[in-house]
Each structure stands twice: as structure tokens, then as C-alpha cells.
Amino acid sequence: FVTLPTNQELNCNFLMRDELVAVLPPDHPLADAPVFPIAQLDGAPFIKFHEENDFEISRFLNQISYKPDPHYEVGSDHTLLSMVECGLGISISHALLADNPRYNVVYKRFDVSQYRDIAIATAKHGQVAGTTRLFVDHVTSHIATQQLCEFTKGN
């Protein structure tokens, strides 16, 4: 599984667009807002995901002029969501995580859409094993028929 664009030596089958979303504690002042303004990241207490685990979020933060104040850095989605739930800060996550009702957090789209395109890839040169082709076909058709969370519907 890769994010696009990727290495030209790969054959890629697009699977889905996954949006970056703000993750807020339930009592955050913007929890009921229709979107989370990117400008509100500036100076906000922030729970950062280790860059080596999720470079798309770091790339997004490097591209904008608003800089959150990283209070914590974690390496697990579960730790990040638990800390946001406890009110230790806000964060950014992928909408695919928003389908998890385990945590009492609020996911908000940004006022400027941010996303990653996810694909499944195989080597471009050489023969792909039959079982690999079956797996790619299965994943592609399975994703196409899934009920996705509100953030990934229609994208």
C-alpha cells in the first residue's frame, strides 16, 4: 500500500482518497463548528505523531504558515486519540481513523481540504504472481464496496 504519487517503477491501482482532519477533545470550543480553520492551529497545544510513522501530516504542517505548539510526540494512533480525548491537546489524523467509535473525540474537516491518495502497488517490470493479482483485485473491489466514514464518502 502506497500514497500517490510514488515510484515510477510501480503499477498502482488507486483505492481511495483519505482526508486529513483535525482531532479535538469533545469540549473544544470548535467542536460544534462546521469546519476547523487551519489558522486555529497556530500556537495550539498539539499532540504530534512521530514523523517516521506519518510523513503526510508533517508535510502538511511544513506547508502552512500556522504552527501548533507540540506538547507531546507519540508513535501510536491509540495513544494520540486517548491524549486528545483527555484534553491534553489537539491533533491531526487521517479520516480513516474517524470510523473508530472507541474514542470520545471530535473529527473536523479543515477549511482548506488536505488529503492523501492511497493505492495498492505491484512491480511494473516482471510477472506478478497469480495470488498477488488475486489479492490486488480483491482489495480493489472490496474498497469499492465499503461503507466509508463521512469524511471519505464521495471523494
Side-chain angles (χ1 to χ4, degrees):
F1 296 94
V2 297
T3 56
L4 299 174
T6 192
N7 188 319
Q8 295 293 323
E9 298 300 311
L10 298 173
N11 280 327
C12 295
N13 292 17
F14 175 80
L15 295 175
M16 67 186 316
R17 180 162 277 179
D18 183 25
E19 193 169 358
L20 289 180
V21 293
V23 186
L24 312 173
D27 61 348
H28 190 278
L30 294 173
D32 292 327
V35 295
F36 187 87
I38 289 176
Q40 292 295 311
L41 289 171
D42 206 32
F46 192 73
I47 302 166
K48 184 178 187 227
F49 203 60
H50 286 302
E51 183 171 347
E52 60 270 9
N53 295 337
D54 200 329
F55 68 91
E56 291 101 356
I57 294 171
S58 293
R59 182 176 58 211
F60 163 60
L61 289 172
N62 289 334
Q63 291 174 347
I64 63 173
S65 59
Y66 308 106
K67 302 300 176 206
D69 182 12
H71 284 207
Y72 305 96
E73 188 169 337
V74 299
S76 159
D77 294 329
H78 299 290
T79 303
L80 184 144
L81 294 172
S82 292
M83 292 174 77
V84 171
E85 181 179 35
C86 290
L88 298 174
I90 65 171
S91 194
I92 299 172
S93 183
H94 298 282
L96 283 172
L97 285 177
D99 250 352
N100 185 349
R102 180 177 174 187
Y103 300 95
N104 185 23
V105 296
V106 176
Y107 298 93
K108 290 289 172 182
R109 283 190 161 102
F110 287 106
D111 56 346
V112 177
S113 181
Q114 301 296 316
Y115 60 88
R116 65 179 174 173
D117 288 331
I118 301 173
I120 189 166
T122 56
K124 187 177 274 189
H125 304 291
Q127 194 169 9
V128 177
T131 53
T132 301
R133 175 58 32 217
L134 285 171
F135 177 73
V136 169
D137 291 345
H138 174 74
V139 168
T140 303
S141 65
H142 181 73
I143 293 293
T145 62
Q146 287 302 294
Q147 289 283 21
L148 300 174
C149 72
E150 69 172 293
F151 296 107
T152 54
K153 287 179 184 172
N155 287 335

